[in-house]
Amino acid sequence: MKDRLQEWVPRLVLAPSFLLVLLFVYGFILYTGYLSMTDSRMLPSYGFVGLENYQKLFALRHWNTALTNLAIFGILYILISSLLGLFLAILLDQKIRAEGLIRPIYLYPMALSFIVTGTAWKWFLDPGIGLENVMQQWGWENFEFNWIKDRDFAIYTVVLAAVWQSSGFVMAMFLAGLRGVDNEIIKAAQIDGASGFRIYRKIIIPMMRPVFLSAFVVLAHLAIKAYDLVIALTGGGPGRATELPATFMYSYTFTRNQMGIGASSAIIMLIMIFSIIVPYLYSELKSGEQK
Amino acid sequence: MARAVTTNRKIITSAAAWTIALIIFFPIFWTILTSFKTEAQAINDPPLFFNFDWTLENYAIVQERSDYMKFLWNSVIVAGGSTLLGILIAIPAAWSMAFVPSKRTKDILLWMLSTKMLPAVGVLYPISLIFVEFNLLDTRGGLIVVLMLINLPIIVWMLYTYFREIPGEILEAARMDGATLKEEILYVLTPMAVPGIASTVLLNFILAWNEAFWTLNLTAANAAPLTAFIASYSSPEGLFFAKLSAASTMAIAPILILGWFSQKQLVRGLTFGAVK
């Protein structure tokens, strides 16, 4: 009896966490998926309409704006944060003075909620009191920086703030990768007379491919989920120029009572994220088996 | 990389790294600085750096006008409560996976962790419907449960990685000496796991403290923590920058301090273990 108990206890104590995640995440996602195929508006309603909501969704101008914005935002955000993060990591890898002080400073933006630091960004980006004004005061009278008020450019201010938030964090990922490279290989290359730059380009960076992949997955899922950045910085405006899928889902459905369409937009976002993380997890599992 | 770097280069790279650090820190610095100005000084032309009369009046006004302490208290309760609840549920699960692993342990772990990457909007409807049904909207209890559920995968996984570092022989020795499972977990495992648990608590507290999606969408006046408070305070036309800065400074102060000590955990947690 006692032996059987010993055997069962581990499974038993794992169960609550397992079931909570299963129900809370997948159970609820299934329900959202179901709602997306019903005629729910303000309240859930169970009239089945098939894929009609998805057709309606993709015919919506606002949704297409949100998707375009996500594409612009996602590509620029991932690219710039990665490059900047790599640059910062290489910089910190040069035996910087007081590195222990610099690292937390680089990481701070990621540790703080953007809802809060967004205030400062709004201030900087505001043409009346922020950067534009300061530059004009200092003598560059033709300096213009009113992106945040400009429908066509406001999304780039979101990129700017997001890059500020994540670069230091990407730096930390890359720095860990750089430090993980075998010193012997680097020493050998140095003896062969390779310059510092060449060592990075030809030896170290190619060895860090897994780190790049992780960074991509982490940044991509952050981009698709992005919500508080937009809320804090532009509130989706001017007009709806900076709407992203997450803010679209919320604003469209709760202010317009279109639960069915909102649910379908949530499912589209889920599909996007799954298409990024499933291959990644699969490769992780496979590499785990080889070890 | 261990290699000789000339002094000149070291100075240049150090200077570059510090310049970038200053640029990165500037928005935070500016928020803190602005919080000590009057509203007129906050939008003064040209911007004032240190040459103004420092004042604490914004802090007093923010507290008086909007009962700041209430939001702060909500943040503490919600972040602390969800962390505590999560830890209690996660410790047995992490223990089980770390010390009695099965063939499926790694799959389960990766699967759980991957759910943290999914967007919150995917579960927004069911959660809000449940909240409406059970009158949980704008209650701290409801928010605690939701934030706990959101961060549970990270908690389980982080605890697991820390527990794994504890040698299993010690637990076996305790079992040989006749310790029951309860005693084993309570008196042998827990004391050794305290540093790991503390790290996990720290990370999760920060995550819960910063959480914006759920706090904005599930709370109103009663249970709103600081993130929701700041968002509601944020006026578009910049008339309240000094007060908003004061409120923001108070909201980030705990994280500025905690963040300093927990950078490793932050990176580890936010990259889902890609960086150890």
Side-chain angles (χ1 to χ4, degrees):
Chain A
M1 179 62 203
K2 203 176 169 236
D3 279 353
R4 280 195 52 194
L5 191 71
Q6 290 282 19
E7 221 171 88
W8 274 99
V9 165
R11 309 283 164 265
L12 221 55
V13 294
L14 179 57
S17 298
F18 183 80
L19 291 176
L20 278 175
V21 175
L22 189 71
L23 172 78
F24 175 71
V25 180
Y26 287 91
F28 285 7
I29 284 174
L30 277 180
Y31 182 73
T32 306
Y34 178 65
L35 277 182
S36 77
M37 290 192 253
T38 64
D39 55 0
S40 307
R41 294 178 75 88
M42 203 172 117
L43 293 167
S45 140
Y46 301 108
F48 191 77
V49 294
L51 295 176
E52 201 184 300
N53 286 323
Y54 290 87
Q55 283 167 352
K56 279 188 195 158
L57 177 70
F58 279 93
L60 282 173
R61 201 162 47 88
H62 292 152
W63 172 247
N64 287 307
T65 312
L67 284 185
T68 317
N69 281 339
L70 177 63
I72 298 174
F73 171 74
I75 292 170
L76 289 176
Y77 166 64
I78 294 173
L79 210 67
I80 301 174
S81 309
S82 304
L83 287 176
L84 217 55
L86 182 64
F87 171 75
L88 292 177
I90 293 178
L91 195 62
L92 279 207
D93 199 27
Q94 311 301 315
K95 298 199 165 177
I96 293 290
R97 252 165 235 184
E99 189 199 313
L101 284 176
I102 289 189
R103 275 163 51 110
I105 292 178
Y106 282 8
L107 276 170
Y108 265 145
M110 196 69 182
L112 303 175
S113 172
F114 200 84
I115 288 287
V116 181
T117 47
T119 319
W121 275 99
K122 246 191 192 161
W123 203 99
F124 293 134
L125 297 168
D126 189 289
I129 49 174
L131 192 65
E132 180 181 288
N133 183 40
V134 173
M135 294 306 252
Q136 285 171 356
Q137 291 284 328
W138 284 352
W140 286 283
E141 302 205 336
N142 295 321
F143 184 88
E144 267 193 36
F145 191 67
N146 53 359
W147 284 6
I148 199 164
K149 305 271 186 208
D150 188 319
R151 283 176 159 276
D152 295 327
F153 286 97
I155 188 71
Y156 299 104
T157 63
V158 182
V159 175
L160 189 66
V163 166
W164 170 76
Q165 195 188 25
S166 332
S167 293
F169 163 68
V170 182
M171 178 281 298
M173 293 179 75
F174 282 136
L175 189 60
L178 287 175
R179 299 261 152 98
V181 172
D182 192 352
N183 260 323
E184 296 299 311
I185 302 174
I186 296 163
K187 273 187 194 143
Q190 276 174 333
I191 291 166
D192 286 348
S195 69
F197 178 71
R198 266 179 69 91
I199 294 178
Y200 276 112
R201 203 166 60 98
K202 295 278 186 192
I203 301 170
I204 302 180
I205 292 174
M207 286 178 76
M208 283 172 41
R209 195 170 293 164
V211 186
F212 277 96
L213 185 65
S214 312
F216 171 77
V217 171
V218 170
L219 290 174
H221 101 275
L222 286 177
I224 298 171
K225 277 164 66 169
Y227 178 82
D228 46 358
L229 264 171
V230 175
I231 294 292
L233 205 58
T234 63
R240 285 178 175 272
T242 51
E243 203 89 84
L244 286 177
T247 59
F248 166 90
M249 191 273 183
Y250 187 77
S251 72
Y252 196 79
T253 56
F254 281 87
T255 53
R256 299 196 187 205
N257 297 327
Q258 291 280 7
M259 195 178 273
I261 294 178
S264 63
S265 70
I267 295 297
I268 299 287
M269 287 174 64
L270 279 166
I271 293 173
M272 287 194 261
I273 291 200
F274 271 122
S275 61
I276 291 168
I277 60 174
V278 168
Y280 177 68
L281 287 180
Y282 184 74
S283 74
E284 282 278 289
L285 276 177
K286 249 176 80 180
S287 70
E289 273 161 22
Q290 278 164 3
K291 267 171 207 164
Chain B
M1 251 174 24
R3 66 196 160 98
V5 181
T6 56
T7 321
N8 257 344
R9 240 187 90 191
K10 197 171 165 180
I11 291 171
I12 294 170
T13 46
S14 291
W18 274 104
T19 311
I20 293 168
L22 288 179
I23 294 171
I24 288 179
F25 196 66
F26 191 73
I28 300 165
F29 164 76
W30 194 253
T31 307
I32 299 172
L33 195 67
T34 306
S35 72
F36 294 108
K37 297 174 183 174
T38 63
E39 291 297 349
Q41 287 165 342
I43 52 171
N44 194 57
D45 281 352
L48 300 166
F49 271 82
F50 294 102
N51 50 337
F52 58 89
D53 297 326
W54 295 61
T55 171
L56 284 172
E57 70 173 357
N58 295 312
Y59 290 91
I61 293 172
V62 167
Q63 162 56 19
E64 191 188 314
R65 239 199 239 167
S66 44
D67 201 359
Y68 182 85
M69 290 312 276
K70 195 179 86 184
F71 295 97
L72 178 73
W73 188 233
N74 281 342
S75 270
V76 171
I77 299 227
V78 168
S82 71
T83 304
L84 203 68
L85 192 61
I87 290 277
L88 287 179
I89 297 176
I91 284 180
W95 166 82
S96 151
M97 290 199 272
F99 296 110
V100 201
S102 72
K103 260 191 291 181
R104 294 253 147 250
T105 296
K106 202 181 171 207
D107 300 2
I108 292 174
L109 209 57
L110 269 177
W111 167 77
M112 278 183 103
L113 202 53
S114 71
T115 60
K116 186 74 180 78
M117 287 194 174
L118 301 176
V121 290
V123 295
L124 177 60
Y125 285 131
I127 300 267
S128 21
L129 292 173
I130 290 172
F131 266 57
V132 172
E133 184 72 35
F134 294 97
N135 279 327
L136 288 169
L137 279 173
D138 204 18
T139 62
R140 291 191 291 228
L143 201 56
I144 286 174
V145 172
V146 169
L147 293 194
M148 181 278 285
L149 287 169
I150 289 195
N151 290 323
L152 187 62
I154 289 270
I155 303 181
V156 170
W157 166 78
M158 269 206 107
L159 285 176
Y160 165 83
T161 58
Y162 285 116
F163 285 3
R164 276 279 298 268
E165 289 161 15
I166 297 170
E169 292 87 35
I170 297 180
L171 298 188
E172 253 163 54
R175 231 170 286 161
M176 297 285 235
D177 288 348
T180 63
L181 189 67
K182 199 181 112 196
E183 285 167 347
E184 181 189 321
I185 292 183
L186 223 59
Y187 300 117
V188 185
L189 178 66
T190 311
M192 279 197 293
V194 162
I197 294 176
S199 297
T200 313
V201 166
L202 205 58
L203 171 77
N204 197 67
F205 188 82
I206 293 177
L207 290 180
W209 185 278
N210 288 343
E211 173 58 42
F213 183 85
W214 293 107
T215 55
L216 287 179
N217 292 337
L218 294 178
T219 63
N222 285 326
L226 286 170
T227 42
F229 165 70
I230 301 283
S232 73
Y233 217 91
S234 176
S235 105
E237 295 315 323
L239 294 168
F240 305 110
F241 269 111
K243 287 178 200 72
L244 191 51
S245 297
S248 299
T249 303
M250 289 194 273
I252 59 176
I255 306 300
L256 278 175
I257 297 161
L258 290 180
W260 189 273
F261 298 107
S262 60
Q263 9 158 355
K264 267 206 185 111
Q265 290 85 322
L266 264 173
V267 175
R268 208 163 152 172
L270 291 170
T271 58
F272 307 93
V275 174
K276 300 226 163 54

Coordinates of all heavy atoms in Angstrom, one line a residue, chain A residues 234-280:
Chain A
T234 N 0.3 55.4 -27.8 CA -0.6 56.1 -28.7 C -2.1 55.8 -28.5 O -2.9 56.4 -29.1 CB -0.3 55.7 -30.2 OG1 -0.5 54.3 -30.3 CG2 1.2 56.0 -30.5
G235 N -2.4 54.8 -27.7 CA -3.7 54.4 -27.5 C -4.3 53.9 -28.8 O -5.6 53.9 -29.0
G236 N -3.5 53.5 -29.8 CA -4.0 53.0 -31.0 C -4.1 54.1 -32.1 O -4.3 53.8 -33.3
G237 N -3.9 55.3 -31.7 CA -4.1 56.4 -32.6 C -2.8 56.9 -33.2 O -1.8 56.2 -33.1
P238 N -2.8 58.0 -33.9 CA -4.0 58.9 -34.2 C -5.0 58.1 -35.0 O -4.6 57.4 -35.9 CB -3.4 60.1 -34.9 CG -2.0 59.7 -35.3 CD -1.6 58.5 -34.5
G239 N -6.2 58.3 -34.7 CA -7.3 57.6 -35.4 C -7.1 56.1 -35.0 O -7.1 55.8 -33.8
R240 N -6.9 55.3 -35.9 CA -6.6 53.9 -35.6 C -5.2 53.5 -36.3 O -5.0 52.3 -36.5 CB -7.7 52.9 -36.1 CG -8.9 53.0 -35.3 CD -10.0 52.2 -35.8 NE -11.1 52.2 -34.9 CZ -11.3 51.4 -33.9 NH1 -10.4 50.4 -33.6 NH2 -12.3 51.4 -33.1
A241 N -4.4 54.5 -36.4 CA -3.2 54.3 -37.3 C -2.2 53.3 -36.6 O -1.4 52.7 -37.3 CB -2.5 55.6 -37.5
T242 N -2.2 53.1 -35.3 CA -1.2 52.3 -34.7 C -1.9 51.0 -34.0 O -1.3 50.4 -33.2 CB -0.4 53.0 -33.6 OG1 -1.3 53.6 -32.7 CG2 0.5 54.0 -34.2
E243 N -3.1 50.7 -34.5 CA -3.7 49.5 -33.9 C -2.9 48.3 -34.3 O -2.5 48.1 -35.4 CB -5.1 49.4 -34.6 CG -6.1 48.7 -33.8 CD -6.9 49.5 -32.8 OE1 -7.9 50.1 -33.2 OE2 -6.5 49.5 -31.6
L244 N -2.7 47.4 -33.3 CA -2.1 46.1 -33.5 C -3.2 45.1 -33.2 O -4.2 45.4 -32.6 CB -0.9 45.9 -32.6 CG 0.4 46.7 -32.9 CD1 1.4 46.5 -31.9 CD2 0.9 46.3 -34.3
P245 N -2.9 43.8 -33.6 CA -4.0 42.8 -33.4 C -4.6 42.7 -32.0 O -5.8 42.7 -31.8 CB -3.3 41.5 -33.8 CG -2.3 41.9 -34.8 CD -1.9 43.3 -34.4
A246 N -3.7 42.8 -31.0 CA -4.2 42.7 -29.6 C -5.1 43.9 -29.2 O -6.1 43.7 -28.5 CB -3.0 42.6 -28.6
T247 N -4.7 45.1 -29.6 CA -5.5 46.2 -29.3 C -6.8 46.2 -30.1 O -7.9 46.6 -29.7 CB -4.8 47.5 -29.5 OG1 -4.4 47.6 -30.8 CG2 -3.6 47.6 -28.6
F248 N -6.7 45.7 -31.4 CA -7.8 45.6 -32.2 C -8.9 44.7 -31.5 O -10.0 45.0 -31.4 CB -7.5 45.0 -33.6 CG -8.7 44.6 -34.4 CD1 -9.3 45.4 -35.2 CD2 -9.1 43.3 -34.2 CE1 -10.4 45.0 -35.9 CE2 -10.3 42.8 -34.9 CZ -10.9 43.7 -35.8
M249 N -8.4 43.5 -31.1 CA -9.3 42.5 -30.5 C -10.0 43.2 -29.4 O -11.2 43.0 -29.3 CB -8.4 41.4 -30.1 CG -9.2 40.1 -29.7 SD -9.7 40.2 -27.9 CE -10.5 38.7 -27.8
Y250 N -9.3 43.9 -28.6 CA -10.0 44.4 -27.4 C -10.9 45.6 -27.8 O -12.1 45.5 -27.4 CB -8.9 44.9 -26.4 CG -9.6 45.3 -25.1 CD1 -10.0 44.4 -24.2 CD2 -9.9 46.7 -24.8 CE1 -10.7 44.7 -23.1 CE2 -10.5 47.0 -23.7 CZ -11.0 46.1 -22.8 OH -11.6 46.4 -21.7
S251 N -10.4 46.5 -28.5 CA -11.2 47.7 -28.8 C -12.4 47.4 -29.7 O -13.6 47.8 -29.4 CB -10.4 48.8 -29.4 OG -10.1 48.5 -30.7
Y252 N -12.2 46.5 -30.6 CA -13.3 46.2 -31.6 C -14.4 45.5 -30.9 O -15.6 45.8 -31.1 CB -12.8 45.4 -32.8 CG -13.7 45.4 -33.9 CD1 -13.8 46.6 -34.8 CD2 -14.6 44.4 -34.1 CE1 -14.7 46.6 -35.8 CE2 -15.5 44.4 -35.2 CZ -15.6 45.5 -36.0 OH -16.5 45.6 -37.0
T253 N -14.1 44.5 -30.1 CA -15.1 43.7 -29.6 C -15.8 44.3 -28.3 O -17.0 44.2 -28.2 CB -14.6 42.3 -29.2 OG1 -13.5 42.5 -28.3 CG2 -14.1 41.6 -30.4
F254 N -15.0 45.0 -27.5 CA -15.7 45.4 -26.3 C -16.4 46.8 -26.5 O -17.3 47.1 -25.8 CB -14.7 45.5 -25.1 CG -14.5 44.2 -24.5 CD1 -13.5 43.3 -25.0 CD2 -15.3 43.7 -23.5 CE1 -13.3 42.1 -24.5 CE2 -15.1 42.5 -22.9 CZ -14.1 41.6 -23.4
T255 N -15.9 47.6 -27.5 CA -16.7 48.8 -27.7 C -17.8 48.6 -28.7 O -18.7 49.3 -28.7 CB -15.7 49.9 -28.1 OG1 -15.0 49.5 -29.3 CG2 -14.8 50.3 -27.0
R256 N -17.6 47.6 -29.5 CA -18.6 47.4 -30.6 C -19.5 46.1 -30.4 O -20.3 45.8 -31.2 CB -18.0 47.3 -31.9 CG -17.2 48.5 -32.3 CD -16.9 48.5 -33.8 NE -16.1 49.6 -34.1 CZ -16.0 50.1 -35.3 NH1 -16.8 49.7 -36.2 NH2 -15.2 51.2 -35.5
N257 N -19.1 45.4 -29.3 CA -19.9 44.2 -29.0 C -20.0 43.2 -30.2 O -21.0 42.8 -30.6 CB -21.4 44.6 -28.6 CG -21.3 45.4 -27.3 OD1 -20.5 45.2 -26.5 ND2 -22.3 46.3 -27.2
Q258 N -18.8 42.9 -30.7 CA -18.8 41.9 -31.7 C -17.9 40.7 -31.3 O -16.8 40.5 -31.7 CB -18.1 42.5 -33.0 CG -18.9 43.6 -33.7 CD -20.0 42.9 -34.5 OE1 -20.2 41.7 -34.6 NE2 -20.7 43.8 -35.3
M259 N -18.5 40.0 -30.3 CA -17.7 38.9 -29.7 C -17.2 37.9 -30.7 O -16.0 37.4 -30.7 CB -18.5 38.2 -28.6 CG -17.7 37.4 -27.7 SD -18.7 36.7 -26.4 CE -18.6 38.0 -25.1
G260 N -18.0 37.5 -31.6 CA -17.7 36.5 -32.6 C -16.5 36.9 -33.4 O -15.5 36.1 -33.6
I261 N -16.5 38.1 -33.9 CA -15.4 38.6 -34.8 C -14.1 38.7 -33.9 O -13.0 38.4 -34.3 CB -15.8 39.9 -35.5 CG1 -16.9 39.6 -36.5 CG2 -14.6 40.5 -36.2 CD1 -17.4 40.8 -37.2
G262 N -14.3 39.2 -32.7 CA -13.2 39.4 -31.8 C -12.5 38.1 -31.5 O -11.3 37.9 -31.5
A263 N -13.4 37.1 -31.3 CA -12.8 35.7 -31.0 C -12.0 35.2 -32.2 O -11.0 34.6 -32.0 CB -13.9 34.8 -30.6
S264 N -12.5 35.5 -33.4 CA -11.8 35.0 -34.6 C -10.5 35.7 -34.7 O -9.5 35.1 -35.1 CB -12.7 35.1 -35.8 OG -12.9 36.5 -36.1
S265 N -10.4 37.0 -34.3 CA -9.1 37.7 -34.4 C -8.1 37.1 -33.4 O -6.9 37.0 -33.6 CB -9.3 39.2 -34.2 OG -9.6 39.5 -32.9
A266 N -8.7 36.7 -32.2 CA -7.8 36.1 -31.2 C -7.2 34.8 -31.7 O -6.1 34.4 -31.5 CB -8.6 35.9 -29.9
I267 N -8.1 34.0 -32.4 CA -7.7 32.7 -32.9 C -6.6 32.9 -34.0 O -5.6 32.2 -34.0 CB -8.9 31.9 -33.5 CG1 -9.8 31.6 -32.3 CG2 -8.4 30.7 -34.2 CD1 -9.2 30.7 -31.3
I268 N -6.7 33.9 -34.8 CA -5.7 34.2 -35.8 C -4.4 34.5 -35.2 O -3.3 34.0 -35.6 CB -6.1 35.4 -36.7 CG1 -7.4 35.1 -37.5 CG2 -5.0 35.7 -37.7 CD1 -7.3 34.1 -38.6
M269 N -4.4 35.3 -34.1 CA -3.2 35.6 -33.4 C -2.6 34.3 -32.8 O -1.3 34.1 -32.8 CB -3.4 36.6 -32.2 CG -3.7 38.0 -32.7 SD -4.2 39.1 -31.4 CE -2.7 39.0 -30.4
L270 N -3.4 33.5 -32.3 CA -2.9 32.2 -31.7 C -2.2 31.4 -32.8 O -1.2 30.8 -32.6 CB -4.1 31.4 -31.1 CG -4.5 31.8 -29.7 CD1 -5.8 31.2 -29.4 CD2 -3.4 31.4 -28.7
I271 N -2.9 31.3 -34.0 CA -2.3 30.5 -35.0 C -0.9 31.1 -35.4 O 0.1 30.4 -35.6 CB -3.2 30.5 -36.3 CG1 -4.5 29.8 -35.9 CG2 -2.5 29.9 -37.5 CD1 -5.6 29.8 -37.0
M272 N -0.8 32.4 -35.4 CA 0.5 33.1 -35.8 C 1.5 32.6 -34.7 O 2.7 32.2 -35.1 CB 0.4 34.6 -35.7 CG -0.4 35.2 -36.9 SD -0.1 36.9 -37.0 CE -1.6 37.6 -36.3
I273 N 1.2 32.7 -33.4 CA 2.2 32.3 -32.4 C 2.5 30.8 -32.5 O 3.7 30.5 -32.4 CB 1.7 32.7 -31.0 CG1 1.7 34.3 -31.0 CG2 2.5 32.1 -29.9 CD1 1.7 34.9 -29.6
F274 N 1.5 30.0 -32.7 CA 1.8 28.6 -32.8 C 2.7 28.3 -33.9 O 3.6 27.4 -33.8 CB 0.5 27.8 -33.0 CG -0.2 27.4 -31.7 CD1 -1.5 27.8 -31.3 CD2 0.5 26.7 -30.7 CE1 -2.0 27.5 -30.1 CE2 -0.1 26.3 -29.5 CZ -1.3 26.7 -29.2
S275 N 2.5 29.0 -35.0 CA 3.3 28.7 -36.2 C 4.8 29.0 -35.9 O 5.7 28.6 -36.6 CB 2.8 29.3 -37.5 OG 2.8 30.7 -37.3
I276 N 5.0 29.9 -34.9 CA 6.4 30.2 -34.6 C 6.9 29.3 -33.5 O 8.1 28.8 -33.6 CB 6.5 31.7 -34.1 CG1 6.3 32.6 -35.2 CG2 7.9 31.9 -33.5 CD1 6.0 34.0 -34.8
I277 N 6.1 29.0 -32.5 CA 6.7 28.2 -31.4 C 6.7 26.7 -31.6 O 7.5 26.0 -31.0 CB 6.1 28.6 -30.0 CG1 4.6 28.3 -30.0 CG2 6.4 30.0 -29.6 CD1 4.0 28.5 -28.6
V278 N 5.7 26.2 -32.4 CA 5.7 24.7 -32.5 C 7.0 24.2 -33.2 O 7.6 23.3 -32.6 CB 4.4 24.3 -33.2 CG1 4.5 22.8 -33.6 CG2 3.2 24.5 -32.3
P279 N 7.4 24.8 -34.3 CA 8.7 24.3 -34.9 C 9.8 24.4 -33.9 O 10.7 23.5 -33.8 CB 8.9 25.1 -36.1 CG 7.6 25.8 -36.4 CD 6.8 25.8 -35.1
Y280 N 9.8 25.5 -33.2 CA 10.9 25.8 -32.2 C 10.9 24.7 -31.1 O 12.0 24.1 -30.8 CB 10.7 27.2 -31.6 CG 11.7 27.5 -30.6 CD1 13.1 27.7 -30.9 CD2 11.4 27.7 -29.3 CE1 14.0 28.1 -30.0 CE2 12.3 28.0 -28.3 CZ 13.6 28.2 -28.6 OH 14.5 28.6 -27.7

